[in-house]
Amino acid sequence: MAAAQHQNVHRSFATPTGGGRRKLAFSTLAVFVASESKATEASGGCLQNKVQYEGALTKYTSIIFCHGIGSPREYLGAANFIDALDRQGNRENPSELGYIREISSEIEASSKDKGSFRNYVEFTRFQRIQGKPRPVKKYRVYEAYWAGDQHKNSGIFGVLLWTLKIAFTFILTSASRWRKYPTHKRRVLNKIKVSGDLRRKMEKRYSEFYNSDNRERFPKGRFRDFQKYLSESSSGQERDNLQELASAWRRGLKKDNLEAFLKAVLVSTPLLAILVFTYTFFFFVASKLVGTIEFDFLQIEVPSQILAFLATLLVASGAWVLSRRLISDVMAWTTMHEGHERFLTRERRVNLAKDLIQDVLLDNNCTRCVLVGHSLGSAIILDAFLRLNSHCRATNISEADREKSVAEMRKVSHIFTIGSPIQKIARVFYADSGENHRYHRVRHSNPYLLDQPAWGEHGGPRIVNFWSRYDLVSSEINCLLQAMESNGDEGDAIGVDNIEVAPIGTPFPLAAHSGYFNDPFSMAVIYQSIASGNLSEARMHRASFNSEISGWMKIILTALSILFVASIALWISIDVNDGWLTAGVASMALITLSAVFAVIRLDYRRHRGDAKD
């Protein structure tokens, strides 16, 4: 039986027809599925009883996985995700959530287009009931694979202009008057812990503040003008509450801008340190080749400088080649101009995910669906789902079609965004100045609105965001708001459970970004939602990372980083040929990196020890 299943893995299947897309052999799953066959035989002889329940488990839960940036092979990301699920299942109590077995690759016809096919991975969840392993549920894993949609990589000058645009937008949003960039200011308001009713009242007052009438009354649109308007438009306790919230809002905005600036400094520090180390190393090597370094003199042979500069340029070029595709994917997603080629790439990728979600939900045997997106894939799959949800509110569809679409939308129980850049993209690239308030309300008022029918009085899909402060891509998501009215002052408009975790690989940014699925505490939350459809607060709390780095230590590390940047500026301004000064800057870089790494790693190990307890 195991041999037959192993052979089944190597069958080649055609991917969805159209455009002459290639055939895909599920060789990436071969070793994984073969090992599962052996594990199944060792778990009470489950395969021997397969005939008894063949055809009985016709209903299934679907899992749609959307991979992140880069150039992964098709189904490689999904295979890694299934591998993580399997490891977590082996850690679970077999009598409660059980474990997964019988993993195999399958093919099915499209529900909408009978002439096209797609691949999926199927597995069965077993539980130990009355001392015997019993199959309890079927699952199907689909991958919204978008890396095959090739687009032209961006050039280095285009990336530099894009980076300058980000910096320029940050400066404009940070230094703007209170009326300008309303979308960004609303996201800061969403982070404040306050009742949903008071939040909506503040939202309403702020919307009124930048309409045409109040623009004439308060042409400068300053914060003091907004406070004056709050005093005029409200009274009593409500006025006091709104004034207090407005002050907290302004403080939160300043804090958010300061944190963004400090993060930029801390991110640039290791990059500059690497360049300094590279230059210093080749500077000394070249000096040894062309002559002895005289630290007591300021002049050193020009060839040493040239060789060191060329070596540093070569290292930077290698880093550019490795990261070019990643940066191009991000640029394609963040392009907002509808006429640009990159925008068309973005739309194709969203439509690919949207068609897959819609097709899967159309199957009557699919009783529940879980969406999982990693990195940029989280933005793609969430955007696709929100567009499908908006289709249900279309004014020109029949009630029968509307009811059918609503039933399909409500099959989605959970949406996991893992290492997601949604908040950072919204902060920088959805930052409309708000000068044209009509355009702002129509186009940019809130691109991420959790509205009917998926969200409503019945609840809606629970969105869980796993992020890490050491993952430069991810952050909390506060731009997803529920449009539904709350039933009281305790109602909250935020529609996301933000869980800060410590992925395997912390504190290295790239390792942390790809280490979420190796974190057993994060996977425990995902596994529970897939297996039972529920989430326990205990598991979510156990996965949470609470840093215990003191405020003084943060100040010291920040001061070291700023001092290092200042030493580089001093080194360049005085003389880059001074051997002692070069050694001093390199030592400063080493001290800064060592201190930052030691403090973060100690904090990470403390968390892992607490979590295990």
Side-chain angles (χ1 to χ4, degrees):
M1 181 70 70
Q5 188 177 9
H6 183 74
Q7 292 174 358
N8 183 50
V9 176
H10 287 83
R11 290 181 296 172
S12 295
F13 301 114
T15 55
T17 58
R21 297 188 62 183
R22 67 190 184 281
K23 288 189 175 182
L24 170 67
F26 276 65
S27 57
T28 56
L29 294 176
V31 176
F32 178 68
V33 177
S35 64
E36 291 309 307
S37 301
K38 296 179 182 178
T40 304
E41 292 175 347
S43 61
C46 297
L47 284 177
Q48 297 177 359
N49 300 325
K50 184 175 181 180
V51 178
Q52 298 178 8
Y53 63 86
E54 191 73 44
L57 300 176
T58 56
K59 303 295 183 180
Y60 65 89
T61 294
S62 62
I63 305 165
I64 301 179
F65 178 84
C66 193
H67 64 86
I69 58 178
S71 302
R73 293 162 57 188
E74 192 168 2
Y75 268 90
L76 179 59
N80 291 333
F81 175 66
I82 297 170
D83 195 6
L85 283 179
D86 176 61
R87 291 195 301 269
Q88 182 59 37
N90 293 332
R91 289 189 286 262
E92 297 287 347
N93 187 334
S95 300
E96 295 179 0
L97 295 180
Y99 49 89
I100 67 174
R101 291 293 184 266
E102 297 183 355
I103 303 173
S104 62
S105 57
E106 304 293 344
I107 189 170
E108 68 180 9
S110 171
S111 301
K112 296 190 301 181
D113 184 4
K114 298 301 181 182
S116 63
F117 301 87
R118 63 168 167 265
N119 304 300
Y120 65 91
V121 178
E122 185 176 77
F123 62 83
T124 305
R125 183 169 61 88
F126 285 81
Q127 281 184 234
R128 189 168 292 277
I129 302 174
Q130 296 180 351
K132 295 182 179 181
R134 304 290 186 187
V136 292
K137 189 68 176 179
K138 286 283 188 182
Y139 296 85
R140 294 183 181 181
V141 181
Y142 302 87
E143 184 178 52
Y145 182 73
W146 54 267
D149 181 18
Q150 298 291 332
H151 64 94
K152 184 179 179 181
N153 287 334
S154 302
I156 188 169
F157 293 107
V159 172
L160 289 176
L161 290 176
W162 179 70
T163 306
L164 289 175
K165 178 184 176 182
I166 294 176
F168 186 65
T169 302
F170 172 76
I171 294 173
L172 287 180
T173 54
S174 301
S176 63
R177 295 184 181 272
W178 193 253
R179 180 181 286 135
K180 282 196 169 186
Y181 296 98
T183 305
H184 169 57
K185 291 182 172 62
R186 281 196 176 97
R187 294 190 187 98
V188 177
L189 174 63
N190 297 337
K191 297 171 66 175
I192 302 175
K193 301 295 183 181
V194 66
S195 68
D197 184 63
L198 184 60
R199 189 195 309 276
R200 280 187 295 275
K201 289 179 180 178
M202 180 62 79
E203 282 268 4
K204 181 180 178 182
R205 296 295 191 279
Y206 187 62
S207 297
E208 295 170 350
F209 180 64
Y210 65 78
N211 64 22
S212 56
D213 294 336
N214 286 312
R215 283 174 181 270
E216 295 179 359
R217 290 186 58 203
F218 306 104
K220 293 185 178 180
R222 299 168 298 185
F223 180 74
R224 68 184 66 158
D225 296 330
F226 181 61
Q227 285 185 312
K228 183 178 179 180
Y229 176 71
L230 289 178
S231 300
E232 295 176 355
S233 59
S234 56
S235 60
Q237 186 63 39
E238 179 182 284
R239 177 179 59 194
D240 295 339
N241 292 339
L242 289 175
Q243 291 281 11
E244 183 179 353
L245 178 57
S247 299
W249 188 3
R250 190 187 190 191
R251 290 194 301 270
L253 183 65
K254 292 181 178 180
K255 180 182 178 182
D256 184 77
N257 293 332
L258 179 60
E259 288 179 349
F261 172 75
L262 291 178
K263 285 180 181 179
V265 173
L266 292 176
V267 168
S268 62
T269 298
L271 298 178
L272 288 173
I274 291 173
L275 292 178
V276 169
F277 270 124
T278 302
Y279 181 87
T280 304
F281 174 77
F282 285 102
F283 179 75
F284 278 92
V285 170
S287 299
K288 287 292 184 181
L289 294 177
V290 299
T292 304
I293 300 177
E294 297 293 340
F295 288 99
D296 296 330
F297 300 94
L298 296 179
Q299 293 183 351
I300 289 183
E301 293 85 347
V302 174
S304 302
Q305 307 170 32
I306 297 176
L307 289 175
F309 175 77
L310 291 177
T312 305
L313 184 62
L314 183 63
V315 171
S317 300
W320 162 249
V321 171
L322 293 175
S323 61
R324 184 180 182 183
R325 177 59 190 270
L326 307 180
I327 297 174
S328 298
D329 284 338
V330 176
M331 290 180 65
W333 181 257
T334 56
T335 300
M336 297 293 118
H337 195 286
E338 291 85 351
H340 201 285
E341 180 183 355
R342 290 198 297 263
F343 183 84
L344 301 179
T345 301
R346 167 197 171 108
E347 290 300 294
R348 287 196 304 270
R349 292 173 173 178
V350 174
N351 289 332
L352 184 149
K354 180 171 67 69
D355 292 342
L356 176 60
I357 296 173
Q358 187 176 29
D359 206 11
V360 170
L361 296 179
L362 279 173
D363 190 351
N364 293 328
N365 288 326
C366 175
T367 58
R368 190 166 65 89
C369 181
V370 177
L371 306 181
V372 181
H374 176 243
S375 188
L376 187 59
S378 64
I380 293 175
I381 203 165
L382 180 63
D383 201 334
F385 181 75
L386 292 180
R387 292 190 189 189
L388 284 174
N389 188 48
S390 300
H391 174 263
C392 300
R393 301 193 302 272
T395 58
N396 60 340
I397 62 175
S398 65
E399 287 303 317
D401 290 340
R402 193 188 313 277
E403 291 178 2
K404 182 179 179 182
S405 298
V406 168
E408 293 166 0
M409 289 294 98
R410 291 180 178 174
K411 288 182 181 180
V412 178
S413 62
H414 295 85
I415 302 174
F416 288 96
T417 58
I418 302 170
S420 176
I422 288 176
Q423 180 73 18
K424 293 183 177 180
I425 290 173
R427 186 190 196 281
V428 177
F429 299 99
Y430 290 159
D432 176 62
S433 66
E435 288 294 335
N436 188 331
H437 71 283
R438 298 292 182 192
Y439 172 77
H440 172 77
R441 288 188 176 185
V442 172
R443 183 68 179 87
H444 288 284
S445 58
N446 200 330
Y448 292 125
L449 190 62
L450 310 183
D451 207 344
Q452 298 276 5
W455 289 269
E457 295 179 356
H458 68 285
R462 190 167 183 180
I463 303 177
V464 180
N465 175 49
F466 290 112
W467 71 282
S468 172
R469 68 185 64 194
Y470 304 116
D471 174 11
L472 302 181
V473 176
S474 70
S475 66
E476 286 186 316
I477 299 178
N478 300 297
C479 57
L480 294 173
L481 299 179
Q482 291 189 4
M484 59 176 289
E485 294 290 329
S486 66
N487 296 322
D489 290 342
E490 297 302 321
D492 201 346
I494 304 301
V496 181
D497 292 305
N498 287 296
I499 304 177
E500 182 182 2
V501 298
I504 302 299
T506 301
F508 301 104
L510 292 178
H513 184 63
S514 59
Y516 289 94
F517 297 129
N518 294 323
D519 178 24
F521 309 108
S522 301
M523 287 306 303
V525 177
I526 298 175
Y527 190 89
Q528 184 187 34
S529 71
I530 291 174
S532 66
N534 299 313
L535 289 177
S536 68
E537 294 298 326
R539 289 193 178 222
M540 295 172 68
H541 177 73
R542 191 160 57 245
S544 300
F545 171 72
N546 297 311
S547 176
E548 293 186 1
I549 300 177
S550 64
W552 283 109
M553 184 57 66
K554 291 179 181 178
I555 293 174
I556 292 173
L557 293 179
T558 304
L560 276 175
S561 300
I562 295 175
L563 186 61
F564 168 63
V565 175
S567 66
I568 293 179
L570 183 66
W571 175 49
I572 295 175
S573 62
I574 294 179
D575 193 346
V576 295
N577 299 325
D578 191 315
W580 286 111
L581 188 57
T582 302
V585 173
S587 300
M588 190 67 199
L590 180 62
I591 293 172
T592 302
L593 286 177
S594 300
V596 171
F597 177 80
V599 171
I600 293 176
R601 195 64 182 175
L602 182 64
D603 194 40
Y604 171 72
R605 289 182 175 178
R606 187 272 319 161
H607 163 73
R608 302 299 297 182
D610 290 351
K612 290 178 181 178
D613 294 337

